[in-house]
Amino acid sequence: MEQNSSFKQVLKFTLFSISAGIIQIASFAILNELIPIFNGDYGINYIISLLLSIIWNFTFNRKFTFKATNDVKKAMLLVLLFYIVFTPISAIMGNYFEKNGANEYIVLALAMITNFVLEFLYTKFVVYRDENEPK
């Protein structure tokens, strides 16, 4: 039973992450190609698009994937702590690779895959760990 529940969480998290990824890629492309406000600056475009996807992903995963009943402010703070570490590292590394000739969309895809794996583990075992314990 526990294995089935974990599989469902992974599946739901994956599907919501895909939808958040679509939001991130679309907003990144709009900022990068159509509205080059920041002169195509990878880091700024990445951070804005990442924030949009975080809000989407947090909202849906909290309600539908983890069915969390814990304090939403605490959960948001814990997610914020994750992104306080993840965002600057991924933005700095993305800027570095993009400035050294890597395609910005490949860099974005690698950052998104890394984010997906780390965020699932962090969310399941840190943010909602009390929700995962048997009642």
Side-chain angles (χ1 to χ4, degrees):
M1 187 69 162
E2 174 65 32
Q3 188 176 10
N4 189 30
S5 176
S6 291
F7 176 75
K8 285 180 181 178
Q9 279 186 332
V10 170
L11 182 62
K12 286 178 185 179
F13 192 87
T14 300
L15 293 173
F16 286 125
S17 293
I18 288 169
S19 67
I22 291 168
I23 289 168
Q24 186 172 356
I25 291 168
S27 59
F28 181 86
I30 288 167
L31 291 168
N32 200 49
E33 307 293 337
L34 300 177
I35 311 172
I37 298 169
F38 306 110
N39 296 322
D41 185 293
Y42 175 87
I44 294 172
N45 294 339
Y46 169 74
I47 290 170
I48 292 169
S49 64
L50 178 64
L51 287 172
L52 294 172
S53 74
I54 290 167
I55 293 166
W56 175 271
N57 214 25
F58 174 82
T59 302
F60 285 95
N61 278 312
R62 181 176 196 286
K63 183 171 183 170
F64 298 109
T65 303
F66 298 103
K67 296 179 173 72
T69 58
N70 66 346
D71 183 4
V72 70
K73 290 178 187 174
K74 178 183 174 190
M76 289 176 94
L77 178 62
L78 289 170
V79 170
L80 176 65
L81 291 174
F82 173 83
Y83 281 103
I84 283 174
V85 174
F86 181 82
T87 303
I89 292 171
S90 60
I92 290 167
M93 289 180 70
N95 262 335
Y96 172 80
F97 288 115
E98 192 266 338
K99 295 288 186 227
N100 285 291
N103 179 282
E104 63 265 31
Y105 292 97
I106 292 172
V107 173
L108 177 64
L110 292 173
M112 290 173 69
I113 291 166
T114 303
N115 183 25
F116 167 74
V117 172
L118 294 176
E119 184 182 4
F120 176 78
L121 295 172
Y122 181 82
T123 302
K124 181 170 179 68
F125 297 112
V126 176
V127 177
Y128 300 123
R129 82 172 162 259
D130 296 336
E131 303 286 330
N132 291 313
E133 293 176 2
K135 309 275 189 267

